[in-house]
């Protein structure tokens, strides 16, 4: 958080922030959104636009100067970002009586709450193959919901789900959702799959999951909200 605050007038790359946090870009964005309720990119945008108000009130700074300072290559892009935060154009900030918003820097504190149990076990698994269908994911964690929902609709409507269930030797209701990072970019692949060694047709793809020691959490719930709440508690 201090690094973000000290470099708001520079280009903030999610991959670089993840390295500082000691995790992947996906997990950084996921944890940040869970803990704060807003995407990481939106937090950075709000902080930049808060500081931009102070700069815009200075008589010697033009809008293009402020836009470039906070990493926007054009006044149009800066104007769009500014209005999304403040609801007014940056050109109006110098006028008396114009209302704008201020977002303070976030800080985190450990708060001990409740005594609810969360059942889990530690288990070492050998490498295994999964087969299924995938969709590429880009951007912030919050932007990933729509393509994930869409691929589930496709898989359920065209019979892919039933096809996958026939391929696995395990419990056919045990579908696996897997996030696969691209090491060269900030993109991901989201895979709906089952564990299977059976031959597959061209419409499906295979991915080998390496041997790991896993923390396996169990819960009873069917809604997206319950799954998200579990994710928060696990983190």
């Amino acid at each position: 958080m201090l690094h973000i605050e000290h470099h708001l007038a520079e280009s903030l790359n999610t991959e670089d922030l993840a390295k500082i946090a000691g995790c992947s870009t996906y997990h950084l964005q996921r944890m940040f959104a869970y803990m704060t309720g807003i995407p990481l990119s939106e937090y950075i945008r709000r902080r930049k636009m808060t500081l931009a108000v102070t700069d815009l009130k200075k008589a010697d700074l033009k809008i293009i100067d402020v836009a470039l300072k906070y990493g926007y290559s054009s006044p149009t892009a800066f104007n769009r970002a500014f209005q999304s935060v403040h609801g007014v154009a940056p050109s109006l900030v110098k006028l008396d009586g114009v209302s704008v918003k201020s977002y303070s820097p976030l800080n985190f504190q450990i708060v001990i709450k409740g005594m609810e149990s969360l059942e889990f076990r530690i288990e070492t698994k050998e490498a295994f193959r999964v087969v299924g269908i995938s969709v590429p994911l880009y951007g912030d964690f919050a932007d990933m919901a729509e393509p994930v929902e869409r691929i589930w609709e496709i898989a359920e409507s065209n019979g892919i789900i039933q096809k996958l269930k026939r391929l696995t030797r395990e419990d056919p209701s045990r579908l696996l959702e897997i996030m696969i990072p691209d090491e060269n970019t900030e993109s991901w692949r989201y895979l709906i799959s089952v564990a299977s060694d059976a031959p597959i047709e061209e419409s499906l793809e295979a991915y080998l999951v390496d041997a790991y020691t896993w923390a396996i959490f169990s819960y009873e719930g069917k809604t997206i909200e319950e799954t998200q709440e579990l994710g928060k508690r696990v983190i």
Side-chain angles (χ1 to χ4, degrees):
M1 299 308 296
L2 286 173
H3 179 86
I4 290 173
E5 200 60 26
H6 292 159
H7 296 83
L8 285 172
E10 302 170 23
S11 176
L12 286 166
N13 185 286
T14 308
E15 189 174 3
D16 293 336
L17 295 175
K19 288 178 181 177
I20 294 171
C23 62
S24 68
T25 55
Y26 167 73
H27 282 100
L28 173 65
Q29 293 177 140
R30 188 181 189 190
M31 286 189 290
F32 192 93
Y34 273 149
M35 295 171 74
T36 67
I38 62 171
L40 175 60
S41 62
E42 178 61 21
Y43 169 72
I44 293 173
R45 182 185 300 113
R46 290 179 182 182
R47 285 297 301 140
K48 285 188 174 188
M49 295 304 103
T50 295
L51 299 183
V53 169
T54 304
D55 291 332
L56 287 168
K57 286 185 174 293
K58 297 176 181 177
D60 59 334
L61 283 181
K62 298 179 181 178
I63 292 177
I64 185 61
D65 297 328
V66 179
L68 292 172
K69 177 179 178 180
Y70 292 104
Y72 292 86
S73 57
S74 72
T76 302
F78 176 72
N79 183 74
R80 187 163 53 245
F82 193 90
Q83 289 205 53
S84 72
V85 173
H86 297 290
V88 296
S91 58
L92 300 178
V93 169
K94 294 183 185 293
L95 302 179
D96 289 339
V98 174
S99 295
V100 291
K101 296 176 182 177
S102 176
Y103 292 94
S104 301
L106 287 178
N107 63 78
F108 294 94
Q109 298 176 338
I110 296 177
V111 179
I112 308 300
K113 297 193 301 184
M115 286 293 289
E116 295 179 56
S117 65
L118 185 60
E119 183 178 330
F120 75 98
R121 67 186 188 275
I122 302 296
E123 188 173 317
T124 300
K125 289 182 176 289
E126 296 299 322
F128 61 95
R129 189 188 74 154
V130 296
V131 297
I133 60 171
S134 71
V135 62
L137 301 177
Y138 307 93
D140 286 313
F141 179 62
D143 299 328
M144 298 180 182
E146 184 179 344
V148 168
E149 289 177 5
R150 190 162 60 247
I151 193 174
W152 272 100
E153 291 172 359
I154 293 171
E156 289 171 347
S157 64
N158 65 9
I160 291 291
I161 297 297
Q162 294 305 316
K163 188 180 295 184
L164 291 177
K165 289 180 177 180
R166 289 193 295 268
L167 286 173
T168 183
R169 286 188 234 164
E170 300 182 3
D171 181 351
S173 66
R174 190 182 175 197
L175 292 169
L176 304 175
E177 298 177 85
I178 299 178
M179 297 289 289
I180 306 169
D182 185 334
E183 295 180 359
N184 300 315
T185 69
E186 293 186 20
S187 63
W188 293 76
R189 272 200 303 141
Y190 172 84
L191 192 69
I192 300 174
S193 63
V194 292
S196 175
D197 293 321
I200 59 172
E201 57 187 64
E202 291 184 359
S203 62
L204 300 177
E205 57 189 282
Y207 178 74
L208 183 66
V209 180
D210 292 333
Y212 285 117
T213 298
W214 300 80
I216 302 173
F217 294 82
S218 302
Y219 85 109
E220 294 183 7
K222 296 182 179 180
T223 68
I224 293 176
E225 290 75 19
E226 287 172 315
T227 304
Q228 291 175 336
E229 182 60 31
L230 173 70
K232 291 180 183 179
R233 296 184 65 196
V234 167
I235 288 172

